[in-house]
Amino acid sequence: MSRFFTSRYEALTPYTPGEQPQERKYLKLNTNESPFPPSPLAQRLARQAAGDLQLYSDPECRALTNVAAETLGVEPDEILFTNGSDEILNFAFMAFCDETHPAAFPNITYGFYPVFAKLNRIPYEEIPLRADFTVNADDYLGIGKTIFLANPNAPTGIALTKDEIEKIVASNKDSVVVVDEAYVDFGAESVLPLIRKYDNLLVCQTFSKSRSLAGGRLGFGAGSKALIADLRTIKYSTNPYNINRMTAAAGIGALTDGDYFRGNCEKIAAVREKPAAALTELGVVLTPSTSNFLFAKHPAVGGQALYLALKEKGVLIRHFETPLLRDYNRITVGSAEQMEEFLRILKTVLEELS
Ligand code: PMP
């Protein structure tokens, strides 16, 4: 730390992103990326946009916003694009939380929520999951705090139903409920259609997983026009050109190429079942995931030991060394071939370890 770092941030522990190793090629199942490349249309449009990079991007993101509005069934002023969904989540903490509107989220969830809260000096409550890692929707009824719910939750992969989320939103009319649907396309129910019914609902989604654009950095929030106007105030007070030209163009391609997107989501959901069954057979305990990852605990081998042994053999999975998560690992569901390779190496590793 330099002697110039302000006391405001000196105690901040930043979020630790998943490893992105450059020195060696791994079977990379650690950051829930898509195993499939971006749609050919997305790639072509991004390449075309590269020729105009001398010009600033459109801060209003009009072309992308119009295509998204049409595709998702919302009005253009009910949606705001950001640099990954991390950015819209941070904007939501900035816009809708303070000392009088504390945040609330599960005690096991996306690790960035407490970091955003601390960054913005927002008090927060962490609400414990049930013993089986499910969120108890009743814990959130009428709590009058700004609620952040990843649905499906991370890293458990377990989803609440649309009805359960609606109950939470309806019972907290004077607080914003942010539903982070980063993984919703792999089998859970989206509450996006409810933004017209509830002016306190903000739905966040990302293009990083189901739309194969993790490296493009594109996400959005959708909600009532008033909520989106607030978030635009934050965006225009931080970084108006937050979406670069190539990413906006790729986003249009990813939205337009709906068949490619749906086909890939179906493939992941189908592939997920095979490693899940094979892992269960090996005695591994799994949560019922509706996302593009599995959350797994071996009865005899510790989470970190398994993570390290697999890494040694060229397989990267995600390990969280925190008290509630350290027995588990999160494994991205890749292509059928990747999962076969993963299972083959896992069996060898388990034999060696036991
Ligand atoms: N929400 C959840 C639950 C996530 O796991 C992630 C991915 N780390 C994000 C949001 C952010 O994704 P991105 O910024 O790539 O859109």
Side-chain angles (χ1 to χ4, degrees), residues 182-205:
Y183 301 104
V184 79
D185 297 323
F186 302 105
E189 288 174 292
S190 175
V191 291
L192 191 61
L194 296 183
I195 62 163
R196 289 273 166 78
K197 194 165 168 192
Y198 298 99
D199 69 353
N200 61 324
L201 171 64
L202 180 74
V203 177
C204 302
Q205 291 192 5

Side-chain angles (χ1 to χ4, degrees), residues 80-269:
L80 181 71
F81 276 95
T82 51
N83 192 303
S85 56
D86 281 339
E87 191 176 49
I88 195 83
L89 290 165
N90 187 33
F91 286 178
F93 274 92
M94 292 168 81
F96 306 125
C97 303
D98 62 16
E99 297 72 28
T100 55
H101 304 86
F105 40 82
N107 66 338
I108 295 178
T109 190
Y110 184 31
F112 224 142
Y113 300 162
V115 179
F116 286 139
K118 285 180 193 145
L119 176 71
N120 296 301
R121 312 188 124 193
I122 294 159
Y124 61 92
E125 179 189 5
E126 292 180 285
I127 300 178
L129 297 184
R130 293 195 189 97
D132 64 358
F133 286 131
T134 54
V135 169
N136 182 354
D138 291 348
D139 291 343
Y140 295 82
L141 299 185
I143 62 172
K145 294 182 175 171
T146 306
I147 297 171
F148 289 80
L149 285 172
N151 198 51
N153 197 11
T156 64
I158 304 173
L160 288 171
T161 63
K162 193 174 168 185
D163 289 348
E164 286 173 307
I165 303 252
E166 181 164 5
K167 262 202 317 193
I168 295 170
V169 177
S171 73
N172 287 286
K173 287 228 153 67
D174 294 324
S175 309
V176 175
V177 178
V178 179
V179 183
D180 173 358
E181 296 190 343
Y183 301 104
V184 79
D185 297 323
F186 302 105
E189 288 174 292
S190 175
V191 291
L192 191 61
L194 296 183
I195 62 163
R196 289 273 166 78
K197 194 165 168 192
Y198 298 99
D199 69 353
N200 61 324
L201 171 64
L202 180 74
V203 177
C204 302
Q205 291 192 5
T206 178
F207 281 47
S208 295
K209 322 290 176 183
S210 54
R211 297 187 192 267
S212 302
L213 284 178
R217 312 304 303 125
L218 190 62
F220 67 83
S224 69
K225 292 176 188 182
L227 284 188
I228 295 302
D230 296 342
L231 292 161
R232 282 166 57 85
T233 299
I234 304 287
K235 162 182 151 130
Y236 278 90
S237 306
T238 49
N239 186 6
Y241 302 108
N242 57 344
I243 311 295
N244 72 74
R245 282 177 169 270
M246 291 174 71
T247 294
I252 291 174
L255 285 164
T256 307
D257 206 346
D259 288 346
Y260 184 79
F261 155 72
R262 279 182 293 276
N264 287 346
C265 293
E266 281 163 19
K267 275 189 225 163
I268 296 290

